[in-house]
């Protein structure tokens, strides 16, 4: 039961009974993430004052320019998790391969792996737009006492034991789930403590916001084009409002509070989609479902997809349940009727 002014530390201790088999490791892991988030938050907030914005001069495995703060955040989260001897492995969007962690005795006894996008939306830093960290936690599937393997990371999202995000905005929030609802904590920078500010977060069943990069409209599948036109149609509670920040954490956070749908479909420029299944889509799918929403690739549940590679990309639709279901209807209709150029809108 949440309490007024409850800190994240108190909340974690109070809810440890949700994980009787973890012996406190999962709680310590969440604690480590909150510590690293405070350090990264400090750097994000002073990014305009020092030479920590801009390109690092290298590209990551995705072929994208790495920003200096990307690299800093990646190193800080890896360093914190490694030094605290909690995880047996880490996979990051910024690294080509996963990282094995032996433990202080070199005995590979830790149970959990962390997958993360250390700084989502970092290209927005120099224009002072909110960015965020996304993380996902799994229990390893290979035997404890052996080095972590690739299969420990290539697990479907329905095997996640926890997932969350940190949004570095006008206030800094840590939002996470362990499969028992979604709770949000806001950082008090004066005290350095996180306080429960958004207990039991829920997506409204319906919303009036759609978030998609409409500049890519010409490249979208027909079903997505039809759904966008549906969103713009003046009927019932439509037209919906278009709100797209270009920072996934910010877009989905807003939609969870206000009601809406976030879409990043495949396109003729990105045939498999652009977002990463393991580092972005699975954690947000877990959070979204725990908040009463829905997450899909347009045809199937995101968390039921079996990953085949660390940096796999997929189309992504998530948000208010009825809005995602309506988008899936348009996708299914376009697939079943490939010759039709446009869906005939109904008033349903």
């Amino acid at each position: 039961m949440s309490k007024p002014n409850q800190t994240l530390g108190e909340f974690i201790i109070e809810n440890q009974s949700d994980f009787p088999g973890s012996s406190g490791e999962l709680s310590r892991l969440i604690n480590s993430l909150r510590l690293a988030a405070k350090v990264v938050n400090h750097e994000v907030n002073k990014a305009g004052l020092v030479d920590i914005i801009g390109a690092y001069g290298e590209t990551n495995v995705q072929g994208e320019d790495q920003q200096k703060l990307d690299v800093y955040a990646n190193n800080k989260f890896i360093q914190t998790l490694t030094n605290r001897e909690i995880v047996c492995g880490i996979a990051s969007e910024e690294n080509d391969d996963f990282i094995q962690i032996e433990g202080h005795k070199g005995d590979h006894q830790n149970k959990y792996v962390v997958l993360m996008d250390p700084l989502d939306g970092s290209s927005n830093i120099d224009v002072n737009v909110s960015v965020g960290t996304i993380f996902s936690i799994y229990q390893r599937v290979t035997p404890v006492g052996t080095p972590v393997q690739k299969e420990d990371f290539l697990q479907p999202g329905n095997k996640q034991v926890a997932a969350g995000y940190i949004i570095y905005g006008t206030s800094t929030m840590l939002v996470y789930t362990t499969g028992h609802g979604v709770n949000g904590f806001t950082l008090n920078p004066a005290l350095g403590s996180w306080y429960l500010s958004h207990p039991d977060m829920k997506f409204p069943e319906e919303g009036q916001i759609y978030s998609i990069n409409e500049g890519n409209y010409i490249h979208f599948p027909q079903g997505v084009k039809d759904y966008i036109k549906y969103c713009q149609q003046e009927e019932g509670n439509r037209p919906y409002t278009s709100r797209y920040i270009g920072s996934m954490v910010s877009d989905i956070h807003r939609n969870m509070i206000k009601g809406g749908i976030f879409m990043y479909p495949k396109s003729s420029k990105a045939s498999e989609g652009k977002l990463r299944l393991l580092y972005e889509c699975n954690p947000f799918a877990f959070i979204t479902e725990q908040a009463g929403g829905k997450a899909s690739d347009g045809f199937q549940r995101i968390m039921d997809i079996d990953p085949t590679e660390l940096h796999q990309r997929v189309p992504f639709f998530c948000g208010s349940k009825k809005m995602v279901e309506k988008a899936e209807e348009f996708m299914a209709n376009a697939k079943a009727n490939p010759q039709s150029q446009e869906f005939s809108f109904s008033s349903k």
Side-chain angles (χ1 to χ4, degrees):
M1 179 71 70
S2 61
K3 301 171 184 176
N5 300 319
Q6 189 174 30
T7 67
L8 176 55
E10 291 168 344
F11 183 89
I12 289 170
I13 292 170
E14 188 174 290
N15 291 277
Q16 280 189 122
S17 58
D18 289 339
F19 302 95
S22 74
S23 304
E25 293 106 329
L26 188 60
S27 298
R28 288 170 53 222
L29 179 45
I30 299 295
N31 272 319
S32 293
L33 289 165
R34 71 168 177 169
L35 172 63
K38 283 200 292 186
V39 177
V40 171
N41 176 68
H42 179 69
E43 296 301 321
V44 169
N45 286 338
K46 72 177 186 181
L49 298 175
V50 296
D51 185 27
I52 201 164
I53 61 174
Y56 187 68
E58 297 181 3
T59 57
N60 62 15
V61 69
Q62 309 298 329
E64 302 159 336
D65 290 339
Q66 285 184 308
Q67 301 294 306
K68 291 180 182 178
L69 203 49
D70 274 350
V71 176
Y72 177 87
N74 191 47
N75 291 341
K76 188 56 60 178
F77 275 97
I78 291 172
Q79 177 186 352
T80 303
L81 291 168
T82 302
N83 289 348
R84 289 207 159 192
E85 304 276 348
I86 301 169
V87 297
C88 56
I90 301 169
S92 168
E93 180 186 312
E94 299 297 332
N95 293 82
D96 293 357
D97 206 352
F98 63 88
I99 300 168
Q100 291 183 342
I101 300 174
E102 294 182 354
H104 66 283
K105 295 180 181 178
D107 53 6
H108 303 280
Q109 289 298 310
N110 295 323
K111 299 178 184 177
Y112 296 102
V113 296
V114 171
L115 298 92
M116 64 179 180
D117 181 350
L119 206 63
D120 178 76
S122 60
S123 61
N124 288 315
I125 291 169
D126 58 347
V127 291
N128 209 18
V129 169
S130 297
V131 295
T133 296
I134 310 167
F135 63 88
S136 177
I137 302 171
Y138 293 81
Q139 192 161 348
R140 65 182 301 171
V141 293
T142 54
V144 172
T146 63
V148 70
Q149 301 296 325
K150 197 170 186 178
E151 56 261 40
D152 292 308
F153 300 94
L154 297 182
Q155 299 187 58
N158 55 39
K159 299 295 185 182
Q160 290 174 98
V161 296
Y165 61 88
I166 301 103
I167 182 168
Y168 310 103
T170 49
S171 60
T172 300
M173 282 187 66
L174 188 155
V175 178
Y176 83 103
T177 182
T178 55
H180 301 271
V182 179
N183 292 280
F185 299 81
T186 299
L187 178 65
N188 181 333
L191 301 176
S193 298
W194 304 84
Y195 289 93
L196 180 62
S197 55
H198 293 67
D200 195 24
M201 297 176 74
K202 295 288 185 185
F203 270 97
E205 197 171 36
E206 290 190 86
Q208 291 184 284
I209 297 172
Y210 70 100
S211 307
I212 189 170
N213 185 355
E214 291 186 76
N216 288 325
Y217 179 90
I218 194 172
H219 301 288
F220 290 150
Q222 188 62 43
V224 176
K225 292 179 179 178
D226 291 341
Y227 180 68
I228 291 173
K229 291 174 182 175
Y230 168 85
C231 292
Q232 296 169 341
Q233 187 183 37
E234 191 165 0
E235 185 173 345
N237 65 341
R238 290 174 281 126
Y240 296 150
T241 299
S242 176
R243 290 285 184 270
Y244 184 71
I245 299 169
S247 175
M248 181 184 185
V249 171
S250 301
D251 276 310
I252 297 179
H253 179 75
R254 178 204 54 237
N255 289 356
M256 180 157 51
I257 292 172
K258 295 182 176 292
I261 182 172
F262 173 87
M263 298 175 284
Y264 212 119
K266 67 179 182 180
S267 68
S268 58
K269 295 196 299 181
S271 61
E272 302 299 322
K274 185 179 179 183
L275 299 180
R276 293 77 175 173
L277 175 62
L278 296 180
Y279 310 115
E280 296 166 313
C281 301
N282 270 340
F284 263 118
F286 191 21
I287 294 163
T288 297
E289 289 191 9
Q290 284 295 312
K294 186 170 185 178
S296 163
D297 69 353
F299 299 97
Q300 65 174 321
R301 183 186 183 215
I302 283 289
M303 292 206 295
D304 287 339
I305 298 174
D306 287 315
T308 57
E309 54 184 272
L310 286 175
H311 297 282
Q312 183 173 343
R313 300 173 188 254
V314 293
F316 191 57
F317 299 75
C318 91
S320 296
K321 187 174 183 180
K322 288 188 176 179
M323 297 183 79
V324 175
E325 288 174 346
K326 179 59 74 173
E328 287 178 322
E329 285 182 28
F330 281 97
M331 296 292 287
N333 181 274
K335 186 176 182 179
N337 301 281
Q339 302 306 316
S340 63
Q341 293 299 305
E342 191 170 309
F343 188 84
S344 177
F345 298 122
S346 71
S347 60
K348 294 181 181 179

